[in-house]
Amino acid sequence: YYQDLAGPAVKVVEITGDATAARERLRRQEIDLLVVAPANAATQFRQGQQAVLSIEFNEIDPVLTNYAGFLAYRLQQEVNREILTRAVGEGQQYAINELNQPAAASIPPEVIAQPTVAETANLAQTTPSVVPFFAPAVLALILQHMAVTLTSLSLVRDRLSGAMELYRLSPVTTWEILLGKYLGFGFLTAVVGAIILGLLVTVLAVPLLSDPVFFAGTVALVIVASLGLGLLVSVVADSERQAVQLSLLILLASVFFSGLVLPIAEFLEPVRIAAHALPVTSGIRLLQDEMLRGGTYASHLLAVLAGISLVFFFLTGFLLRRQLHRA
């Protein structure tokens, strides 16, 4: 009975009259919620008083705290409906027995207590579980981190090995050096991305509903933007240690500010704008839409990826050119 009353969002593990022992289990985090029902809710209702339904929980996660509040509100509505249903039923029976009014029972108590019923309809092409939903986001994060890690050490090692001196003496231009870096590391990152995508589709059964050509183009944009970010780190860093540290900082920022852990809509406007400087921020939304929805209405994020790719490319080229022409 209580499980039906609570609904599928709550799993009832025990019904007990010992609230103290139940609170101890809650303190030890053996249970998630403790519902202390009032002993005389129906009586208080007839007397025109509100009964207190106590919902206790032990959480520090703000997301789960808000979810517990939502469950408490839903449970309150269900209990109110149950009390009202019983009160209406008793009133109808009284009208039949004492007042001889059979017409009072023409409407069922359940309909009076709950005259409307909500039905949900999901228009999405798929209803993925947790793993398929986060798989495209992890793919975007891996692509960015791999591209940044590979390229962030590239120009640093060229300077330390003396290859930068050869660049100065050779007829090669700054843009040709960058183009070579993009092609070499881009091909390697694309191969690894293709292997990961194959594992996601075949092993984890993540659907790929969009046009493969369009999806490949989106992945290519994520890779190019990530390579540009890594090369920018490489041209700014003075040593391999600094390049590695900057790469790890980019990884941490990508985890917390890209929408992978926390919704990007929860941040302030300046933070949201800065977050789109990370290729993974746009990549997560685009890859999830294309794999799980078959298309995206956030096509402006493609322009964002292209824009930051150009900014990273020309900024890196400008800084590298200054280093090559430095006496």
Side-chain angles (χ1 to χ4, degrees):
Y1 168 79
Y2 287 111
Q3 182 64 69
D4 293 338
L5 188 67
V10 176
K11 179 182 178 182
V12 179
V13 295
E14 183 183 1
I15 307 296
T16 178
D18 190 351
T20 302
R23 287 192 179 94
E24 180 63 22
R25 292 189 61 187
L26 182 65
R27 187 187 65 81
R28 295 195 303 265
Q29 296 183 313
E30 296 177 2
I31 56 176
D32 299 317
L33 285 175
L34 172 61
V35 181
V36 182
N40 54 350
T43 303
Q44 289 181 298
F45 172 73
R46 296 188 188 95
Q47 295 175 352
Q49 300 175 358
Q50 287 183 322
V52 178
L53 184 66
S54 177
I55 312 293
E56 302 176 12
F57 53 92
N58 182 16
E59 281 293 342
I60 60 174
D61 189 333
V63 176
L64 293 179
T65 299
N66 291 332
Y67 187 57
F70 166 75
L71 292 179
Y73 174 77
R74 185 184 182 282
L75 187 59
Q76 167 195 314
Q77 298 298 105
E78 291 298 321
V79 172
N80 288 341
R81 183 177 64 86
E82 181 68 15
I83 293 175
L84 185 58
T85 300
R86 295 193 178 189
V88 171
E90 292 177 2
Q92 288 181 342
Q93 190 62 40
Y94 174 81
I96 294 174
N97 295 338
E98 303 296 332
L99 304 179
N100 194 21
Q101 296 291 333
S106 59
I107 302 178
E110 294 81 6
V111 176
I112 297 177
Q114 190 178 15
T116 61
V117 177
E119 294 184 357
T120 60
N122 191 351
L123 302 182
Q125 288 83 345
T126 58
T127 54
S129 58
V130 174
V131 172
F133 176 75
F134 282 102
V138 174
L139 174 61
L141 183 63
I142 291 176
L143 290 176
Q144 177 188 283
H145 183 59
M146 182 177 179
V148 170
T149 302
L150 291 175
T151 55
S152 63
L153 297 173
S154 175
L155 294 175
V156 174
R157 289 178 176 174
D158 286 348
R159 288 197 298 269
L160 296 177
S161 64
M164 196 69 70
E165 303 298 328
L166 297 178
Y167 293 154
R168 292 172 180 171
L169 299 175
S170 64
V172 67
T173 65
T174 302
W175 310 113
E176 290 173 342
I177 296 173
L178 288 181
L179 184 60
K181 300 289 186 182
Y182 272 91
L183 291 177
F185 291 116
F187 176 77
L188 179 60
T189 307
V191 171
V192 175
I195 295 174
I196 296 175
L197 177 63
L199 293 175
L200 293 180
V201 174
T202 57
V203 178
L204 298 181
V206 180
L208 179 57
L209 303 181
S210 69
D211 182 8
V213 176
F214 186 77
F215 182 80
T218 303
V219 172
L221 273 177
V222 175
I223 293 175
V224 170
S226 302
L227 292 173
L229 179 59
L231 287 171
L232 181 60
V233 170
S234 183
V235 77
V236 171
D238 295 328
S239 63
E240 291 185 355
R241 177 179 298 179
Q242 187 177 11
V244 171
Q245 290 173 345
L246 289 175
S247 300
L248 292 178
L249 288 176
I250 292 175
L251 176 61
L252 291 176
S254 300
V255 170
F256 290 106
F257 298 105
S258 65
L260 179 65
V261 176
L262 299 173
I264 194 172
E266 298 294 330
F267 300 124
L268 298 176
E269 184 68 22
V271 179
R272 291 201 299 267
I273 295 175
H276 281 93
L278 299 170
V280 68
T281 303
S282 302
I284 288 176
R285 171 67 186 276
L286 291 170
L287 295 187
Q288 282 182 332
D289 283 353
E290 292 175 15
M291 293 189 71
L292 304 177
R293 294 182 181 272
T296 180
Y297 288 101
S299 55
H300 65 281
L301 295 179
L302 296 171
V304 172
L305 284 175
I308 62 176
S309 299
L310 292 175
V311 170
F312 290 152
F313 179 77
F314 287 108
L315 183 58
T316 304
F318 172 75
L319 296 176
L320 180 60
R321 187 175 182 180
R322 289 185 57 185
Q323 291 182 2
L324 290 176
H325 289 80
R326 187 179 302 168

